[in-house]
Amino acid sequence: MNQDYIQPNEWSIIEEGFDKQRVKSSESLFSIGNGAMGQRANFEETYTGKTFQGSYIGGVYYPDKTRVGWWKNGYPEYFAKVINAPNWIGINVEINGEALDLNTCKEVRNFRRELNMKEGWYQRSFEATLQNGTEIALESTRILHIEEDELGIINFEITPLNRDAEIVFMPYLDGGITNEDSNWDDKFWDTLSVQEGNHQAFIRSRTMKTHFDVCTYMQSKVFVNGAEKSLDYTGAIKELSVALTYKVSVKKGEKATLQKFAGYTISLNHKPEDLIDASIKVLQKATKEGYSALKQQQTEAWASIWEMADIAIKGDVKAQQGIRFNIFQLNQTYLGKDARLNIGPKGFTGEKYGGSTYWDTEAYCIPFYMATKDQAVARNLLTYRYNHLQKAIENAQKLGFKNGAALYPMVTMNGEECHNEWEITFEEIHRNGAIAFAIYNYERFTGDTSYIPEKGLEVLIGIARFWEQRATFSKAKNKYVILGVTGPNEYENNVNNNWYTNYVAKWCLEYAASEVEKVKKSNPEDFKRIEAKTKISGQEVLDWNKTASNMYFPYSEEFGIYLQQDGFLDKELITVANLDRSNRPINQKWSWDRILRSPYIKQADTLQGFYFFEEHFSKEQLEKHFDFYEPFTVHESSLSPCVHSIQAAKLDRMEQAYTFYLRTSRLDLDDYNKEVEEGCHITSMAGTWMSIVEGFGGMRVREGKLHFEPKIPEQWDQYSFKVNFRGQILKVSISKNKQVFKVDGDSPLNIVVNQKEITLAPNTETTV
Amino acid sequence: MNQDYIQPNEWSIIEEGFDKQRVKSSESLFSIGNGAMGQRANFEETYTGKTFQGSYIGGVYYPDKTRVGWWKNGYPEYFAKVINAPNWIGINVEINGEALDLNTCKEVRNFRRELNMKEGWYQRSFEATLQNGTEIALESTRILHIEEDELGIINFEITPLNRDAEIVFMPYLDGGITNEDSNWDDKFWDTLSVQEGNHQAFIRSRTMKTHFDVCTYMQSKVFVNGAEKSLDYTGAIKELSVALTYKVSVKKGEKATLQKFAGYTISLNHKPEDLIDASIKVLQKATKEGYSALKQQQTEAWASIWEMADIAIKGDVKAQQGIRFNIFQLNQTYLGKDARLNIGPKGFTGEKYGGSTYWDTEAYCIPFYMATKDQAVARNLLTYRYNHLQKAIENAQKLGFKNGAALYPMVTMNGEECHNEWEITFEEIHRNGAIAFAIYNYERFTGDTSYIPEKGLEVLIGIARFWEQRATFSKAKNKYVILGVTGPNEYENNVNNNWYTNYVAKWCLEYAASEVEKVKKSNPEDFKRIEAKTKISGQEVLDWNKTASNMYFPYSEEFGIYLQQDGFLDKELITVANLDRSNRPINQKWSWDRILRSPYIKQADTLQGFYFFEEHFSKEQLEKHFDFYEPFTVHESSLSPCVHSIQAAKLDRMEQAYTFYLRTSRLDLDDYNKEVEEGCHITSMAGTWMSIVEGFGGMRVREGKLHFEPKIPEQWDQYSFKVNFRGQILKVSISKNKQVFKVDGDSPLNIVVNQKEITLAPNTETTV
C-alpha cells in the first residue's frame, strides 16, 4: 500500500516526481481506453528502464496453448487472451544527436503525469538534462478518441531550455511486439505488410490461429511555436516496423511539436482488404479537424458520460478521487456499443486474466451499466452470453452433461472455456447462477420484459438443465446435494454443499421453471420457437421444481446460521483479528493446503447469497451471518469489500462500511496489494459504485419501484449520484441532514424512501 | 490390453514378428538393467521409425524447472528426474553401401526378441532384405553386467545370406541426446570432452545444475566367423559424439561380429578427474575376459538371484511368466547395494514419474526385498529416508510446520519435494504413515532391533510431530480431525477425515510414543543423543497419545463400516458393475470433477488400512469393508489389484484373488492400460510378489514367527517360493493336496501353519 503516491485531486490522477521503481505501476494507473481499444501509459520515446508495454484491441485475441503441470480430461486446449497489439505510440527522439531516454538522462526535474478524468486525456511533462548538456522541457498529451474509436492522438512538445537544438522526431509503428503473459513464448502476430508514403505509414498484421487482421496506422505533423511546418521526412521500412524521420531546428525557448494521429482498424469492423483505406479515411478526417478540435470533442464526449455517471462527494477528496477513477476506468473499458465485447478483469490496463470475461460482469458490473447508461448497454452484456449459449452447452457436454445443459465458462473470450485449474474450471460452477441472476436483475431494474422471451429463456433453460443434472440425490440425507464444488470463496476447493451454490442452483431451477410457465402464457409464439429448439417439456419443469424444493442446505442449529459448506464447523475457528498479522495476506504467506483447511474466506460467499437474495432473509438473519462470516474474511479478492460495504451499511455499521468503501475505491490508487503494475482491477470498480449507490444510498428495486434508505459516512458532507431508471433520470443528493431527489423530464416518478412512497414531480427537487 | 503380444514362456519374454507399431512398447518390455543403470530396448543400428530412446543411470538426475499453469505457494522449484543419458549402445551399420534401418528395409523376416530372465540377457534377431537386395541375418545380444555394474556388452552379429558383403560397423557414443519428458526443452547435459584412440572412445558429460560427471565409454572388437580380426579403424570426433568405423568384407554365409564393451563411470563413485581412467580399467578387464566369460558370469549372477527370489508355478505358464517378469524387473531396478538409490515407479524403463522415489517403496516394495534378500537391502531402503530426514523437516517448514515436524515428499530424488499438484504435494500426506510403517514392518520381519535406536526413532519423532500439528481439534466433533487431505485413493481430493489417513496418523503417534519410551529404556545412550538432537520431551509424547486417543474416525452405523471420508455416503452409490463399460477407464473418459464426486476408488484406500493393520480388525470387519468398497473400486492404479488379491485370498474368494493376481502380474506384458510404451510399472511388481506370498501363501509375521495359511488357485497345480527369515532360508511349496516346508541350514525353525505351530527340522521337508 502506498498512500502518498497519487496526489489527491477531485478530477485528476496526478503523479509528481520521477521514480524508476514506479514506472510500471504508473503505466497501469494512467492507462487510457475508449471501449474499443486501450493502452498502458508507456512512454512515447525510448525508455531503457523497466517497463511493461501494452496496447490492446477489444475482441482481438489469441488462443494461447494451455500450460499445465498435469493434464486433466476436459481442460481447454487454449487460453484465449487479448494480446499486446502493434505499438503505434512510439516516437523516438534525438536532441542534438543524443537519443532521449529518461533512464539515461543526467537529470529529470518536475516530472508529472496527469490523467484528466473529466476531459479524458493523459499528459506527461518533465524537464530533463541530457548527457550532452542540452536541457529540454517535454509535454506529451495523449487521447483515445471516444467517438472515433479507431483513433488516437498524441501531441508531443519539446522545448530546448538552455541552447538551440536540432530535434529529430522518429514517429514509428512497431509490429514486433511481445507479450509478458505468453505460455510458450509463441509468436502471436504475423506481419503481412509494412508500408509508408505521404507522411503516413501502415502495418498490416494478422493474429496467428484466430486470423484477426489489424491495420496499425499513423500520420504525423510537425509544428514550431504552434505553426505547422511542411517538412520533408525520411521513411525507413523494416521487416516488422516503419519509422518516419523529421528533423527540425529550434532556438532555445522555441517549442517543437510532433502531432501523431494513429490507431487501429480491424477486421471485426471492416473487410480485411479495406483496412488501409479505412485507416486513410480516419486519418483524413482527423488531420483535417486537427488536434485542438479532436481534444474538444473528447472533452464533450466525456462530459456527456459524466453527466450521467458521476458521483460527487463533498468533504472527502480521496473518496471523491477514488470513485471517479473507478467510474472513469469502467467507461474506458466498456461503453456498451458492441455485444461482441465484454469487461476483462484488467480492462486494457494489463495482460493478467487474459482480458477475458468472468462472472464479474454479471455479478458486479451489470448494475453499474444498467443505472448509468441506456438499457441497451446491459442488454448487450446479456446478449453476449446468449450468443455463447451453444458453446456453453458444448462445454457442459465435455464434462458429461446432456440434453442441452449449459455450463458457462469461468473465463472466456468466444464462449469456450479457457481456464485450466480443475478446482475452478470444473467446480466453480456457481458462475452459472450469476448469469441467470443477471437476467432476473435486468428485467427487475429495466422493466424490459422482452429480453426473456426473445433470448433469456433459452439461457435459463440451459442453466436449469445443468443444475438439475449436477445436483445428485443423497440417500443418506434424503435430499439433493451438490458435491465437489468451489464457491465464490476460492479459498475452499472441492467442497460439498457450498450453501451459496446450492442456494443459487435452487433459485435458478425455480426461476427457470416460473419463466417457462410465464413465457408460455405471455409470448406463445416465442414459446413455440423455444420449445421446438430446446425440446423443453412440462415434466422437465416439474422435475426442476422437485429438485429445487428438496435441495439440501447445511445449517448449524448451534449458531443459527447456514454453513458455508459441509463440515465448516470442524475448522479451527480463529478470527482474522486473532491471526498474527505476519500471516497475511495468506495467499502470499501460506501454502495452499493451509489456506484450504483454514476458515478464512477470500470474498463474500454465503454473504454473496445474502446480497443477491437479500429479500429472502430478514435483517436479523443477515446480521447473524455477517457477524459469523465477516470475521473470517480476509478480503483478498478485489471483489470482496464492496459486498461487505453494502451489507455493513444496511446493518447501520457506517464506520465499517466506509472502511470497506475506501478499500475498494482506492485499491489501485493506493496499491493495496502491491500489484498494480500488472494492471488495474477493473471489474471490482463497479463494486465501488454499488457500495455508494446500493450501500450508502440503500437503493433497491422492488416491485418496479426504486427504493432508497440513504445513509452517509461520518467523513462526508454530501454525495450525489444519478440513476437512469426506465428512461427517467433521477438525481439523488444525500447530506447529513437532508436527502434531495429530482427527476428530469416531463413525468413524475414514484419512489420509496425509508419505506415511505413519495411522488417526485418532474424537474423539481424534493427534500426528505 | 493385448494378450497375444508376448509368447507364453516360463523363463523368457519373447516377441515374434516385426510390427512398427509395437516398437516403443517392446522397448519398454525388453528393457534391461543392473540396479546401477538400465536402458530401454532400443535398436543398436539406425532406426528412423517411431522410437523412444532411453538409457538411465541410477542417482544421476536433473532438476527440471517446475511447469504449472497457476503457481501456488510451497510448490517446489523443480522436478528432479533421472534423465536420458548419453547413448553407448549405438552401432550404425552399412551393408554394401546401404545403411541398415528396419524402417526402410524391403522386407523383415523372423524378427524375434527374447529377454532371457533366467540368464539376464536380451537378444534380438531377424533376417532382412535391404533395398540393394542384400539379404542378411542379424543377431544382437545385450547384457548389463550385474557384478561389474558399470559395464555393458553387446555381441552384434551379421551374416549376409544371398551374396558377399562389405559390412561397415560404426559403433558410436552420442552425448547429444534429448529427453521426452522435459518441461521447458532445457538442455540437460554439458559435453566436456570427446576423445578416441586405441579402439576406445570416451565422452565426458556433466549434468547441468546438479553437476554429475559421467564418462560414457566404449571399445570394440571385430570377428569373422568367430575369429578376432585386428582391423584398422577410422575415428570421427564430433562436438557431441564419437564414432569408430570398421570395415569388414565377408562372404555369403560368413558371420561378421562386432563386440562392443561400453557403459558409464560416474562421479558418484569416482573422482570426476578419474572417470576416464576408471573406464579404461573396466575395459581392460572386460576385454581380457571376453564376451563369453562375461555372459557366463551374468548367468551365474542371475542364478544366484533366482535361487532366492524365484517363485515357481506349475500348471499356468502365463502366471509363471508374469511373476518371473515382475521379480526380474525388480532386481534389474534395485539390488540394494547403494543406500543413495531407490526404486522409481518406472525403474529404468522410461522417463515418466522422473525415476523418483514414491511411497510405493515403503508400502509395496520393502516386503519383497526383505524376504528375498539380505536384511541389509531393506535397511538401505530405510536409511535412504533417514538420510532425507532434514529435507523432510525443511519440506514441512515450507508448509508452516514447526519444531522438527517432518513431511516426507510425495516424489523425490534427493529428499526435496518434486511434485507440483497441490492436492497431491500438500495433501497426500498419508505417505508419512507408510514411511513409519516400513520401520515397524522391518523390525517385525527381520527382528533387527538396532535400526530404531540408531536411526529410525528420529524419523518416527519427525513424523509424529507432523501428525500432532496437522491434526486439529474440532469443537463440533470434540475430536481431533485431519482436514483437507488426499488419501491413497487419488480420485478424491481435499477431503476431510480420510479414514486411512486418520488411522495411520493415530498409529504413527502411538507407535512413535511407545518407541520413544522403549528406546529410553533399552538404549539410553542412543536416547541421550536423540534427545539432544530432537529436544523430545515427555510432555510431547503425552500429547501424541492424547491426540491419538481422541482421533475422529468417520463411521456409518447403517453399514457398520468406517467411511472412506466425511460425506462418502452422500455420493450416488452405483457400483462399478452397474456403470456402463463405455465410461471406463474413468480417468480417460471423465472430467476430473466427475471422478471426484463419484464413489469410484482408484486403489485400496480404507482397505489399505485393513492391509497394513490387519490384526486390528476381525475377519468379519474385513469382509464387510471389502464388500462395501471393492465394488466401487476401478483399480486404475497399478498398485490396486495386489492388495485386493491378498484380501480376497484371505476371505477365501480364490477366483477373485486369482483374477486380481493375473491383472497385477501381467499388467505390462498384456499392456492392460495401453501405455506400456511409456515404461513398465516397476513398483507394483512387488505387489505381485505379495499377492502370491501373502495372498495365496497367507504369510504373516506375528510375534517373531512366520505364519502361513496357504491356499492355491484352482488354475495351478503347485507354486513354491523362498523366504529369507532372519537369516534362515525357508522354502514353501504349495500344492492342492499338500503343503511342504523346508528350512535350509543347521537350525530348526518354528513356524505356524493354519494356526498350528510346527517345528521344521533343518534340511528336511515337512509336509502339512
Side-chain angles (χ1 to χ4, degrees), chain B residues 297-523:
Chain B
Q297 290 163 18
Q298 182 79 348
T299 302
E300 285 161 17
W302 273 102
S304 139
I305 292 172
W306 285 116
E307 170 61 24
M308 191 59 231
D310 188 29
I311 294 182
I313 298 172
K314 288 190 184 156
D316 188 341
V317 64
K318 284 198 153 192
Q320 174 67 79
Q321 187 178 37
I323 186 63
R324 286 207 173 116
F325 183 67
N326 286 260
I327 295 168
F328 181 71
Q329 287 291 5
L330 284 164
N331 277 284
Q332 290 208 117
T333 304
Y334 185 77
L335 287 163
K337 296 180 197 172
D338 187 341
R340 296 170 302 183
L341 302 185
N342 210 288
I343 307 150
K346 297 273 172 205
F348 297 120
T349 71
E351 296 175 16
K352 210 175 171 186
Y353 308 119
S356 305
T357 307
Y358 288 65
W359 72 296
D360 304 22
T361 295
E362 282 77 13
Y364 296 92
C365 297
I366 278 187
F368 168 77
Y369 286 104
M370 284 197 301
T372 66
K373 301 216 179 287
D374 186 86
Q375 73 182 42
V377 170
R379 195 174 161 122
N380 268 347
L381 287 170
L382 300 188
T383 299
Y384 178 92
R385 296 291 192 179
Y386 175 73
N387 291 339
H388 289 176
L389 176 58
Q390 187 50 39
K391 296 275 190 201
I393 291 172
E394 288 163 21
N395 186 37
Q397 279 167 350
K398 273 177 84 172
L399 306 188
F401 297 89
K402 297 165 298 192
N403 185 35
L407 176 61
Y408 277 91
M410 192 65 204
V411 181
T412 195
M413 189 61 73
N414 61 357
E416 291 173 52
E417 177 64 81
C418 287
H419 198 88
N420 58 5
E421 284 182 300
W422 63 264
E423 60 273 25
I424 307 289
T425 311
F426 302 152
E427 296 205 340
E428 201 174 334
I429 53 177
H430 69 79
R431 61 199 185 235
N432 246 9
I435 287 163
F437 184 80
I439 295 172
Y440 164 77
N441 201 13
Y442 170 80
E443 191 179 290
R444 175 172 65 171
F445 190 89
T446 64
D448 170 12
T449 54
S450 71
Y451 180 74
I452 291 178
E454 279 176 33
K455 299 177 174 169
L457 188 60
E458 290 173 54
V459 172
L460 295 177
I461 289 170
I463 288 174
R465 284 173 165 170
F466 172 80
W467 290 121
E468 170 69 14
Q469 292 169 42
R470 187 60 169 75
T472 53
F473 190 73
S474 161
K475 274 194 190 163
K477 294 198 158 70
N478 197 28
K479 286 276 183 187
Y480 285 92
V481 294
I482 302 183
L483 306 180
V485 305
T486 294
N489 169 19
E490 291 170 326
Y491 289 175
E492 302 280 354
N493 292 154
N494 194 41
V495 300
N496 294 337
N497 295 309
N498 168 262
W499 178 82
Y500 173 77
T501 303
N502 287 23
Y503 199 85
V504 82
K506 171 194 163 79
W507 177 85
C508 285
L509 288 164
E510 289 171 344
Y511 180 56
S514 82
E515 289 302 309
V516 165
E517 296 308 329
K518 212 160 104 183
V519 172
K520 198 189 278 183
K521 283 181 203 133
S522 62
N523 301 63

Side-chain angles (χ1 to χ4, degrees), chain A residues 67-74 79 183-184 353 358 398-401 419-423 426-427 469-477 481 483-484 492-497 558 566-567 569-572 586-597, chain B residues 67-74 79 183-184 353 358 398-401 419-423 426-427 469-477 481 483-484 492-497 558 566-567 569-572 586-597:
Chain A
R67 196 183 74 192
V68 291
W70 305 85
W71 188 267
K72 307 255 192 228
N73 289 324
F79 194 130
N183 287 344
W184 303 94
Y353 307 120
Y358 288 64
K398 272 177 83 172
L399 305 188
F401 297 90
H419 198 87
N420 58 4
E421 284 181 300
W422 63 264
E423 60 272 26
F426 302 151
E427 295 205 341
Q469 292 169 42
R470 188 60 167 75
T472 53
F473 190 73
S474 161
K475 274 194 190 161
K477 294 198 158 69
V481 294
L483 305 180
E492 301 280 354
N493 291 154
N494 194 42
V495 299
N496 294 337
N497 294 309
E558 183 188 351
D566 282 354
L569 294 180
D570 281 336
K571 292 168 180 282
E572 287 191 304
I586 61 172
N587 69 6
Q588 286 172 31
K589 300 295 177 67
W590 282 8
S591 67
W592 194 245
D593 58 314
R594 195 172 178 191
I595 290 175
L596 291 176
R597 65 180 180 271
Chain B
R67 196 183 74 192
V68 293
W70 305 85
W71 189 266
K72 308 253 191 231
N73 289 324
F79 194 131
N183 287 343
W184 302 93
Y353 308 119
Y358 288 65
K398 273 177 84 172
L399 306 188
F401 297 89
H419 198 88
N420 58 5
E421 284 182 300
W422 63 264
E423 60 273 25
F426 302 152
E427 296 205 340
Q469 292 169 42
R470 187 60 169 75
T472 53
F473 190 73
S474 161
K475 274 194 190 163
K477 294 198 158 70
V481 294
L483 306 180
E492 302 280 354
N493 292 154
N494 194 41
V495 300
N496 294 337
N497 295 309
E558 182 189 351
D566 281 354
L569 294 180
D570 282 337
K571 293 168 178 283
E572 289 191 303
I586 61 172
N587 69 4
Q588 286 172 31
K589 300 295 177 67
W590 283 8
S591 68
W592 194 244
D593 58 315
R594 194 171 179 191
I595 290 174
L596 290 177
R597 65 180 180 272

Side-chain angles (χ1 to χ4, degrees), chain A residues 516-672:
Chain A
V516 165
E517 296 307 328
K518 213 160 104 184
V519 173
K520 198 188 277 184
K521 284 181 200 131
S522 62
N523 301 65
E525 285 307 309
D526 282 312
F527 190 78
K528 253 188 222 162
R529 171 182 49 80
I530 294 164
E531 197 176 22
K533 192 167 166 188
T534 64
K535 314 272 180 283
I536 181 79
S537 75
Q539 184 57 46
E540 230 183 324
V541 174
L542 290 175
D543 290 343
W544 296 349
N545 278 322
K546 188 183 148 213
T547 303
S549 59
N550 288 295
M551 189 68 76
Y552 169 74
F553 298 106
Y555 185 77
S556 162
E557 293 291 345
E558 183 188 351
F559 293 94
I561 54 158
Y562 291 108
L563 292 175
Q564 185 179 278
Q565 73 240 12
D566 282 354
F568 189 83
L569 294 180
D570 281 336
K571 292 168 180 282
E572 287 191 304
L573 296 172
I574 298 161
T575 60
V576 177
N578 288 308
L579 182 68
D580 192 279
R581 186 71 219 171
S582 64
N583 292 293
R584 297 183 56 197
I586 61 172
N587 69 6
Q588 286 172 31
K589 300 295 177 67
W590 282 8
S591 67
W592 194 245
D593 58 314
R594 195 172 178 191
I595 290 175
L596 291 176
R597 65 180 180 271
S598 82
Y600 303 118
I601 300 170
K602 184 183 178 192
Q603 69 183 87
D605 188 301
T606 307
L607 294 177
Q608 182 75 33
F610 278 75
Y611 170 68
F612 276 169
F613 304 109
E614 185 186 41
E615 286 155 57
H616 302 189
F617 306 99
S618 68
K619 198 166 165 182
E620 290 64 39
Q621 278 180 300
L622 172 64
E623 187 158 32
K624 239 180 192 175
H625 286 79
F626 190 90
D627 284 345
F628 185 84
Y629 287 111
E630 198 288 322
F632 296 116
T633 306
V634 287
H635 304 290
E636 289 177 10
S637 158
S638 65
L639 299 170
S640 188
C642 59
V643 169
H644 290 89
S645 180
I646 294 167
Q647 293 177 333
K650 177 163 177 175
L651 296 173
D652 296 312
R653 302 176 185 184
M654 287 302 288
E655 198 53 39
Q656 198 179 11
Y658 177 73
T659 305
F660 283 129
Y661 164 77
L662 261 201
R663 180 157 169 175
T664 180
S665 74
R666 296 189 61 88
L667 178 69
D668 292 319
L669 290 180
D670 293 337
D671 199 7
Y672 269 80

Side-chain angles (χ1 to χ4, degrees), chain A residues 447-507:
Chain A
D448 170 12
T449 55
S450 71
Y451 180 73
I452 290 179
E454 279 175 32
K455 297 175 174 170
L457 188 61
E458 290 173 53
V459 173
L460 295 178
I461 290 170
I463 287 174
R465 284 172 166 172
F466 172 81
W467 290 121
E468 170 70 14
Q469 292 169 42
R470 188 60 167 75
T472 53
F473 190 73
S474 161
K475 274 194 190 161
K477 294 198 158 69
N478 197 28
K479 287 275 183 187
Y480 285 92
V481 294
I482 302 183
L483 305 180
V485 305
T486 295
N489 168 20
E490 291 170 327
Y491 289 175
E492 301 280 354
N493 291 154
N494 194 42
V495 299
N496 294 337
N497 294 309
N498 169 263
W499 178 83
Y500 172 78
T501 303
N502 286 23
Y503 199 86
V504 83
K506 171 193 163 80
W507 177 86

Side-chain angles (χ1 to χ4, degrees), chain B residues 214-225:
Chain B
V214 169
C215 175
T216 311
Y217 66 85
M218 69 169 177
Q219 177 169 345
S220 293
K221 291 182 180 184
V222 178
F223 301 78
V224 172
N225 275 349

